[in-house]
Every structure is written in structure tokens, then in C-alpha cells.
């Protein structure tokens, strides 16, 4: 008589199951955070700490690239301002120390999807090959081709960001996308060397002159470079973060709190 009942309930349970089924993206060693938890920020910090030991090598499933070292095969820089006019191609850029980042003042708001955090790095070692045609502070030409290595010390960054949440797709999942990110940074100190590799005496002189100028004007040059580095890191971070977020359903990152009348706990 009620032949349709089992079918109806099967459909219902399939629908419910589909809602509950996870994409399996969140690794088992991470406990997702409850959306309205009082200690959401602490929970997010805990998630990071759970992921940190794996971040050095990267987590392909979450599209997290290896952080130790962080590698950029090639990047082009083309900026024009009074303080720095530069056209450069960096290849094999490697940054060591990224995964030692120390977080503080994490503040994430899931209502307006805004957040802020302070980051600190004790030291970052950077090596890269470069092809460059630049003018620093209108007086120092930096021209040629070679390699650079350096150590950046005591880096502090205040980061703010804003995200948007996509509409739910047919599987009931929505995704965060960072739409705005702002880095405000301070570099305590840095040492480094440009080494020309063209064997062209003129280029060697450019590199040595730039090195000497830097050694004698560290603070001024760092203050000039900081906004460029901030901008560079903003676009880098935005790209990597959105690559990660595009694989992680919001519903699985931040789980909804259980309904008001939870079922009784199972007997012990
Ligand atoms: C950076 O290089 C210095 C000197 O070679 C080293 O002592 C330090 O441990 C390195 N730091 C990182 C994060 O690789
Ligand atoms: C989150 O943002 C909303 C909207 O701006 C605001 O009303 C709320 O107080 C914020 N929550 C926290 C915990 O700051
Ligand atoms: C750059 O590398 C050389 C040797 O390869 C090393 O002696 C020097 O300490 C390095 N400089 C920085 C600032 O890391
Ligand atoms: C970060 O913000 C704090 C205050 O919230 C400020 O004291 C500090 O100077 C800022 N740091 C940078 C690098 O802008």
C-alpha cells in the first residue's frame, strides 16, 4: 500500500547523508572549529599548530605548498617610484624560516569575514638568482645579473584581511575567498650580498657599489624596500591562500554547533 514510503525515506536519508558527507579534505589530525565557539581564535591557532609539522614539506591534499624552504621558480618585478625604479626577474627564489612564524593577536570574525593577525619571524634566509635593471633612491644603479643571498632579521607583520563566502553549491558547500589582504611590516635588520655573475667589470662595479651603499644606509634602504616587499608578499599570500581555500569547504572548516537539544550522550 505505502510502497513509496521506503523510497521516500531512502531519498531523504540520501539527502541528509549528502549534507553530512565530508569531502575528506580536513586531515584526521585536525579538529575543525565550531562556528560560534567562544575561543574560535584559539581553535584556529591550534589548527595551525597541528598542521605546522607538516607544513615544511607542504600538504598537497590542502594545496599547501612546501614552506621550508618556500620556493618561487620565477617572479617578475616591475615597479616605478622615486625611491625605487626596478625591473627584475628573480629565479629560484628560496626563503628559509617561513614555517617558524610566531602568531599573536589572531582575531577572526566569521560574521563580517574580517580578520587580523600579527606575525613575527626571528630570521628569514633568502637566496635568489636575479636579472635586474634598477635605480635605488635615484642615485644607485643596480644593474646586471647574478645571485643574491641575505638574512632578514626580526620581521614583524600586522596582517588584515577580508574574505567573501561563495553561495552554497549543489552539494551544500560554500567556499571562502580572500578579497583583500593588507600587510604592514617592519624589518628589524637585514644583511645581504649581490654577487654579479656576468664577468662584466661594469656590472661587478654596480653590484659592489650597491652592496656598499646598502651597508652604509641600511635603515634608509630597508624603509624604502619595505612597502615593495609588503606588496609583493600580499599578492603572493593572496594567491596561495585562495588556492588553499578553494579546496576547503567552509562547512567543514567551521562546523555548525549542535542543535539546541542534543541527543543524550551514549551510555558510558
Ligand atoms: C639562516 O642562516 C643563518 C646563518 O647561516 C643560520 O644560523 C640560521 O639558522 C638560518 N635560519 C634559517 C631559518 O634557516
Ligand atoms: C563580528 O562582526 C560583526 C559585524 O561587524 C559584529 O557585530 C560582531 O560584534 C563581531 N564579533 C566579534 C566577536 O568581534
Ligand atoms: C651568503 O653566502 C655566503 C657563502 O655562500 C656566506 O658566507 C654568507 O654568510 C651569506 N650571507 C648571508 C647574509 O646570508
Ligand atoms: C602592529 O600593530 C601594533 C598595534 O596593534 C603596533 O604597535 C605595531 O607597531 C604594528 N606593527 C607594524 C609592523 O606595523
Amino acid at each position: 500500500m505505502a510502497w513509496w514510503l521506503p523510497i521516500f525515506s531512502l531519498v531523504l536519508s540520501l539527502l541528509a547523508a549528502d549534507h553530512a558527507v565530508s569531502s575528506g579534505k580536513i586531515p584526521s589530525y585536525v579538529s575543525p572549529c565550531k562556528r560560534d565557539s567562544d575561543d574560535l581564535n584559539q581553535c584556529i591557532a591550534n589548527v595551525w599548530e597541528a598542521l605546522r609539522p607538516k607544513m615544511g614539506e607542504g600538504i598537497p591534499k590542502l594545496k599547501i605548498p612546501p614552506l621550508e624552504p618556500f620556493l618561487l621558480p620565477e617572479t617578475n618585478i616591475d615597479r616605478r617610484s622615486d625611491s625605487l625604479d626596478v625591473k627584475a626577474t628573480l629565479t629560484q627564489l628560496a626563503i628559509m624560516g617561513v614555517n617558524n612564524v610566531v602568531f599573536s593577536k589572531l582575531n577572526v570574525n566569521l560574521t563580517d569575514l574580517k580578520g587580523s593577525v600579527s606575525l613575527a619571524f626571528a630570521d628569514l634566509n633568502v637566496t635568489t638568482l636575479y636579472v635586474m635593471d634598477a635605480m635605488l633612491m635615484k642615485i644607485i644603479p643596480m644593474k646586471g645579473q647574478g645571485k643574491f643571498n641575505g638574512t632578514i632579521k626580526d620581521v614583524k607583520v600586522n596582517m588584515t584581511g577580508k574574505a567573501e563566502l561563495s553561495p552554497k553549491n549543489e552539494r551544500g558547500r560554500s567556499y571562502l575567498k580572500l578579497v583583500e589582504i593588507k600587510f604592514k611590516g617592519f624589518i628589524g635588520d637585514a644583511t645581504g650580498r649581490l654577487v654579479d655573475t656576468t664577468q662584466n667589470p661594469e656590472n661587478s662595479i654596480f653590484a659592489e657599489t650597491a652592496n656598499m651603499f646598502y651597508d652604509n644606509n641600511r635603515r634608509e634602504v630597508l624603509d624604502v624596500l619595505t612597502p615593495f616587499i609588503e606588496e609583493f608578499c600580499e599578492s603572493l599570500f593572496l594567491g596561495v591562500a585562495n588556492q588553499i581555500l578553494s579546496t576547503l569547504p567552509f562547512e567543514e572548516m567551521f562546523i555548525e554547533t549542535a542543535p539546541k537539544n542534543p541527543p543524550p550522550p551514549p551510555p558510558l
Side-chain angles (χ1 to χ4, degrees):
M1 190 171 65
W3 57 268
W4 49 268
L5 246 180
I7 295 173
F8 184 62
S9 57
L10 178 69
V11 168
L12 270 186
S13 64
L14 276 179
L15 283 174
D18 182 53
H19 193 71
V21 124
S22 94
S23 60
K25 282 287 181 182
I26 306 281
S28 56
Y29 47 87
V30 170
S31 348
C33 298
K34 291 215 175 68
R35 249 174 252 186
D36 63 354
S37 114
D38 293 332
D39 54 2
L40 178 69
N41 294 314
Q42 186 57 49
C43 179
I44 295 171
N46 293 346
V47 167
W48 178 276
E49 290 310 329
L51 292 175
R52 194 196 292 263
K54 325 252 176 193
M55 297 272 213
E57 290 179 11
I59 308 176
K61 190 163 136 180
L62 301 180
K63 294 211 176 159
I64 297 176
L67 290 189
E68 219 47 75
F70 183 80
L71 295 172
L72 264 188
E74 175 165 338
T75 181
N76 291 300
I77 299 171
D78 190 351
R79 309 296 290 136
R80 219 149 298 255
S81 86
D82 278 354
S83 54
L84 182 66
D85 187 339
V86 58
K87 238 176 152 45
T89 299
L90 307 181
T91 48
Q92 297 177 36
L93 175 71
I95 308 175
M96 281 135 289
V98 176
N99 201 26
N100 298 335
V101 60
V102 176
F103 289 100
S104 58
K105 295 190 246 165
L106 177 67
N107 192 358
V108 170
N109 186 326
L110 291 181
T111 307
D112 59 10
L113 298 178
K114 287 184 181 164
S116 60
V117 64
S118 296
L119 313 177
F121 302 89
D123 57 9
L124 294 171
N125 292 338
V126 180
T127 61
T128 187
L129 303 177
Y130 67 85
V131 178
M132 177 159 64
D133 185 356
M135 185 64 86
L136 176 64
M137 294 155 112
K138 288 189 174 165
I139 45 171
I140 302 296
M142 299 196 297
K143 206 170 140 110
Q145 180 171 349
K147 54 186 184 180
F148 168 86
N149 73 335
T151 298
I152 308 175
K153 289 201 184 72
D154 189 20
V155 179
K156 298 211 157 62
V157 182
N158 289 341
M159 189 170 129
T160 57
K162 177 165 174 33
E164 282 172 6
L165 191 61
S166 75
K168 285 195 183 194
N169 65 14
E170 68 283 359
R171 314 187 71 177
R173 294 181 188 138
S174 51
Y175 293 84
L176 284 172
K177 179 169 195 258
L178 274 183
V179 288
E180 208 179 284
I181 191 90
K182 201 79 206 133
F183 279 50
K184 195 82 200 72
F186 182 78
I187 298 174
D189 196 10
T191 51
R193 279 266 151 302
L194 296 174
V195 178
D196 190 82
T197 53
T198 55
Q199 317 278 344
N200 170 338
E202 197 190 31
N203 284 348
S204 300
I205 292 172
F206 280 138
E208 270 323 301
T209 311
N211 287 331
M212 253 165 58
F213 180 80
Y214 177 71
D215 288 342
N216 294 322
N217 302 276
R218 258 142 96 157
R219 190 67 261 160
E220 290 86 342
V221 176
L222 285 176
D223 291 343
V224 162
L225 293 183
T226 299
F228 288 89
I229 298 175
E230 285 167 356
E231 215 177 281
F232 180 72
C233 294
E234 280 164 11
S235 77
L236 198 62
F237 183 90
L238 200 67
V240 173
N242 279 332
Q243 177 185 306
I244 297 169
L245 290 172
S246 71
T247 73
L248 277 175
F250 179 75
E251 289 73 20
E252 287 169 43
M253 264 195 288
F254 300 107
I255 54 179
E256 229 148 4
T257 315
K260 283 283 182 296
N261 296 315
L268 293 173

